[in-house]
Amino acid sequence: QLVNLACATHLFLEYVGTVSLMSGPSMLPTLASSGEVVVEDKLSLRLNPASLARGDLVVVRSPINPTLIVCKRVIGLPGDVVCVDPTGLKAPSTEHVIVPKGHIWLCGDNMLYSRDSRDYGPVPMALIRSKLVARV
């Protein structure tokens, strides 16, 4: 019976959703820099990837360090034309790119302290782990 419970728990956490602890300054003021507990929804993106929208907060495996899981805001979807860096800190604010098919453009809300698509470009949708649905 314990094996069944462990299996069911694993399946739920892997495919449906989970509660996670977030830390880091990149999503200030939306999420606190430490101690922020969030609910991740994995199932809706698996069942309907087209439900992803601009403005959603997503949890992704970092494209530059696969051992890290990061939270960022979706700025651009496949086919969108996005400004590489509206702040002008990392690229001229006049530079624009087209988000390729199968990719998204991500930014942290606290752009001064965020490594995001302005640094590493479009992010493959395969790296998306979940969508944030609530803060606890």
Side-chain angles (χ1 to χ4, degrees), residues 18-24 31-40 59 69-71 129 132 134-136:
T18 188
V19 175
S20 299
L21 184 64
M22 296 284 165
S23 64
L31 299 174
S33 59
S34 65
E36 192 76 70
V37 179
V38 297
V39 177
E40 296 181 50
V59 177
I69 302 295
V70 298
C71 176
R129 181 170 110 165
L132 288 193
R135 287 179 12 192
V136 178

Short mmCIF file of all heavy atoms in Angstrom, two decimals, residues 18-24 31-40 59 69-71 129 132 134-136:
data_model
loop_
_atom_site.label_atom_id
_atom_site.label_comp_id
_atom_site.label_asym_id
_atom_site.label_seq_id
_atom_site.Cartn_x
_atom_site.Cartn_y
_atom_site.Cartn_z
N THR A 18 2.33 20.93 -8.28
CA THR A 18 3.11 20.84 -7.06
C THR A 18 3.15 22.20 -6.37
O THR A 18 2.81 23.22 -6.97
CB THR A 18 4.55 20.34 -7.37
OG1 THR A 18 5.22 20.09 -6.15
CG2 THR A 18 5.34 21.35 -8.18
N VAL A 19 3.57 22.19 -5.14
CA VAL A 19 3.81 23.41 -4.39
C VAL A 19 5.33 23.57 -4.28
O VAL A 19 6.02 22.60 -3.97
CB VAL A 19 3.17 23.33 -2.98
CG1 VAL A 19 3.53 24.55 -2.15
CG2 VAL A 19 1.66 23.18 -3.10
N SER A 20 5.83 24.77 -4.57
CA SER A 20 7.27 24.99 -4.59
C SER A 20 7.65 26.24 -3.82
O SER A 20 6.83 27.14 -3.64
CB SER A 20 7.77 25.16 -6.03
OG SER A 20 7.51 24.02 -6.79
N LEU A 21 8.89 26.30 -3.41
CA LEU A 21 9.46 27.46 -2.74
C LEU A 21 10.32 28.22 -3.75
O LEU A 21 11.20 27.63 -4.37
CB LEU A 21 10.30 27.01 -1.54
CG LEU A 21 10.90 28.09 -0.67
CD1 LEU A 21 9.80 28.90 0.00
CD2 LEU A 21 11.80 27.47 0.39
N MET A 22 10.04 29.51 -3.93
CA MET A 22 10.79 30.33 -4.87
C MET A 22 11.73 31.26 -4.11
O MET A 22 11.41 31.69 -3.00
CB MET A 22 9.84 31.20 -5.70
CG MET A 22 8.91 30.45 -6.59
SD MET A 22 9.81 29.85 -8.01
CE MET A 22 8.65 28.66 -8.62
N SER A 23 12.87 31.55 -4.73
CA SER A 23 13.78 32.53 -4.14
C SER A 23 14.56 33.22 -5.24
O SER A 23 14.73 32.68 -6.33
CB SER A 23 14.74 31.84 -3.16
OG SER A 23 15.56 30.93 -3.84
N GLY A 24 15.01 34.42 -4.96
CA GLY A 24 15.78 35.21 -5.91
C GLY A 24 15.07 36.51 -6.23
O GLY A 24 13.86 36.60 -6.16
N LEU A 31 6.96 38.49 -6.91
CA LEU A 31 7.29 37.44 -5.94
C LEU A 31 8.41 37.94 -5.04
O LEU A 31 9.36 38.57 -5.51
CB LEU A 31 7.74 36.16 -6.66
CG LEU A 31 6.72 35.50 -7.60
CD1 LEU A 31 7.37 34.33 -8.33
CD2 LEU A 31 5.50 35.03 -6.83
N ALA A 32 8.31 37.64 -3.76
CA ALA A 32 9.34 38.04 -2.81
C ALA A 32 10.67 37.37 -3.16
O ALA A 32 10.69 36.32 -3.80
CB ALA A 32 8.92 37.67 -1.39
N SER A 33 11.77 37.97 -2.73
CA SER A 33 13.08 37.41 -3.07
C SER A 33 13.42 36.16 -2.25
O SER A 33 14.35 35.45 -2.58
CB SER A 33 14.18 38.46 -2.91
OG SER A 33 14.20 38.94 -1.60
N SER A 34 12.65 35.88 -1.21
CA SER A 34 12.86 34.62 -0.46
C SER A 34 11.57 34.23 0.24
O SER A 34 10.75 35.08 0.59
CB SER A 34 14.00 34.76 0.55
OG SER A 34 13.66 35.70 1.54
N GLY A 35 11.41 32.93 0.43
CA GLY A 35 10.29 32.42 1.19
C GLY A 35 8.94 32.44 0.50
O GLY A 35 7.91 32.29 1.14
N GLU A 36 8.93 32.62 -0.81
CA GLU A 36 7.66 32.68 -1.55
C GLU A 36 7.22 31.27 -1.93
O GLU A 36 7.94 30.55 -2.62
CB GLU A 36 7.84 33.53 -2.80
CG GLU A 36 6.56 33.89 -3.50
CD GLU A 36 5.80 35.00 -2.80
OE1 GLU A 36 6.25 36.14 -2.80
OE2 GLU A 36 4.73 34.69 -2.25
N VAL A 37 6.04 30.87 -1.45
CA VAL A 37 5.50 29.54 -1.76
C VAL A 37 4.46 29.71 -2.87
O VAL A 37 3.56 30.55 -2.76
CB VAL A 37 4.87 28.89 -0.52
CG1 VAL A 37 4.28 27.53 -0.85
CG2 VAL A 37 5.92 28.76 0.59
N VAL A 38 4.60 28.91 -3.93
CA VAL A 38 3.71 29.03 -5.10
C VAL A 38 3.14 27.67 -5.48
O VAL A 38 3.69 26.62 -5.14
CB VAL A 38 4.46 29.62 -6.31
CG1 VAL A 38 4.93 31.04 -6.02
CG2 VAL A 38 5.63 28.74 -6.72
N VAL A 39 2.02 27.71 -6.20
CA VAL A 39 1.40 26.50 -6.73
C VAL A 39 1.67 26.45 -8.23
O VAL A 39 1.37 27.41 -8.95
CB VAL A 39 -0.13 26.50 -6.47
CG1 VAL A 39 -0.77 25.26 -7.10
CG2 VAL A 39 -0.41 26.57 -4.98
N GLU A 40 2.28 25.36 -8.67
CA GLU A 40 2.59 25.16 -10.08
C GLU A 40 1.56 24.23 -10.71
O GLU A 40 1.25 23.18 -10.16
CB GLU A 40 3.96 24.50 -10.25
CG GLU A 40 5.13 25.31 -9.77
CD GLU A 40 6.45 24.58 -10.01
OE1 GLU A 40 6.67 24.11 -11.15
OE2 GLU A 40 7.22 24.46 -9.05
N VAL A 59 7.50 28.36 -14.94
CA VAL A 59 8.69 27.79 -14.32
C VAL A 59 9.37 26.96 -15.41
O VAL A 59 8.74 26.10 -16.03
CB VAL A 59 8.30 26.92 -13.10
CG1 VAL A 59 9.53 26.27 -12.50
CG2 VAL A 59 7.57 27.76 -12.07
N ILE A 69 16.19 25.71 -11.91
CA ILE A 69 14.80 25.91 -12.30
C ILE A 69 14.49 27.38 -11.98
O ILE A 69 14.76 27.85 -10.87
CB ILE A 69 13.85 24.99 -11.51
CG1 ILE A 69 14.23 23.52 -11.70
CG2 ILE A 69 12.40 25.24 -11.88
CD1 ILE A 69 14.08 23.01 -13.11
N VAL A 70 13.97 28.11 -12.97
CA VAL A 70 13.74 29.55 -12.79
C VAL A 70 12.29 29.90 -13.11
O VAL A 70 11.60 29.18 -13.82
CB VAL A 70 14.69 30.39 -13.68
CG1 VAL A 70 16.14 30.14 -13.29
CG2 VAL A 70 14.48 30.09 -15.15
N CYS A 71 11.86 31.03 -12.57
CA CYS A 71 10.52 31.55 -12.82
C CYS A 71 10.65 32.86 -13.58
O CYS A 71 11.42 33.74 -13.17
CB CYS A 71 9.79 31.75 -11.50
SG CYS A 71 8.15 32.49 -11.69
N ARG A 129 8.33 23.87 -17.44
CA ARG A 129 7.93 22.85 -16.47
C ARG A 129 6.49 23.03 -16.04
O ARG A 129 5.75 22.05 -15.88
CB ARG A 129 8.87 22.93 -15.27
CG ARG A 129 8.58 21.91 -14.19
CD ARG A 129 9.68 21.91 -13.18
NE ARG A 129 9.19 22.48 -11.93
CZ ARG A 129 9.80 22.36 -10.78
NH1 ARG A 129 10.96 21.73 -10.70
NH2 ARG A 129 9.30 22.89 -9.69
N LEU A 132 2.64 29.09 -13.13
CA LEU A 132 2.26 29.45 -11.76
C LEU A 132 0.79 29.86 -11.74
O LEU A 132 0.37 30.65 -12.58
CB LEU A 132 3.11 30.60 -11.23
CG LEU A 132 4.55 30.32 -10.90
CD1 LEU A 132 5.14 31.47 -10.11
CD2 LEU A 132 4.74 29.04 -10.15
N ALA A 134 -0.87 30.28 -8.38
CA ALA A 134 -1.22 30.93 -7.11
C ALA A 134 0.02 31.10 -6.24
O ALA A 134 0.97 30.35 -6.35
CB ALA A 134 -2.25 30.10 -6.35
N ARG A 135 -0.07 32.13 -5.37
CA ARG A 135 0.89 32.29 -4.27
C ARG A 135 0.19 31.82 -3.02
O ARG A 135 -0.99 32.10 -2.81
CB ARG A 135 1.30 33.74 -4.11
CG ARG A 135 2.20 34.21 -5.18
CD ARG A 135 2.61 35.65 -5.07
NE ARG A 135 2.31 36.32 -3.83
CZ ARG A 135 2.41 37.63 -3.67
NH1 ARG A 135 2.77 38.38 -4.67
NH2 ARG A 135 2.13 38.19 -2.52
N VAL A 136 0.93 31.11 -2.16
CA VAL A 136 0.32 30.63 -0.92
C VAL A 136 0.63 31.61 0.20
O VAL A 136 1.73 32.09 0.31
CB VAL A 136 0.87 29.23 -0.56
CG1 VAL A 136 0.29 28.75 0.75
CG2 VAL A 136 0.54 28.26 -1.68
#
